[in-house]
Amino acid sequence: MESWRSAERTSEPALWRTVFWAAAVVAATLLLSIVLVLRDPGPSVSGWFYVQQAGMLVPCSAFALLALGKWRRARKAVGQRQAAR
């Protein structure tokens, strides 16, 4: 019965690694868009653009940090389980 649990846990680090990189890419894209518009704002850019981008950047960055922590813990747990065998 334990074998199916360990098989499920083995794929957990891969899941959190994927979630982390996806959130990190979205956060980097949002940050880059803010920086590029700050450098050369067009006539149609208003303060609302910055509010929207920052409003999406904050939770996305927080989720990336959460996923990074879960990825590291899951990787450590799988390593400990493999060392215990």
Side-chain angles (χ1 to χ4, degrees), residues 11-25 63-64 67-68 71:
S11 63
E12 190 175 351
L15 168 71
W16 286 113
R17 180 185 66 224
T18 303
V19 170
F20 164 72
W21 282 112
V25 166
F63 191 66
L68 178 62
W71 175 25

Side-chain angles (χ1 to χ4, degrees), residues 2-34:
E2 188 63 32
S3 62
W4 68 269
R5 287 184 182 169
S6 62
E8 182 180 308
R9 298 281 185 204
T10 304
S11 63
E12 190 175 351
L15 168 71
W16 286 113
R17 180 185 66 224
T18 303
V19 170
F20 164 72
W21 282 112
V25 166
V26 171
T29 303
L30 289 167
L31 187 60
L32 182 63
S33 72
I34 292 170

Side-chain angles (χ1 to χ4, degrees), residues 52-74:
Q52 287 176 333
Q53 296 299 93
M56 291 185 290
L57 180 62
V58 169
C60 188
S61 299
F63 191 66
L65 290 175
L66 173 75
L68 178 62
K70 288 190 176 269
W71 175 25
R72 292 179 67 190
R73 282 191 298 277

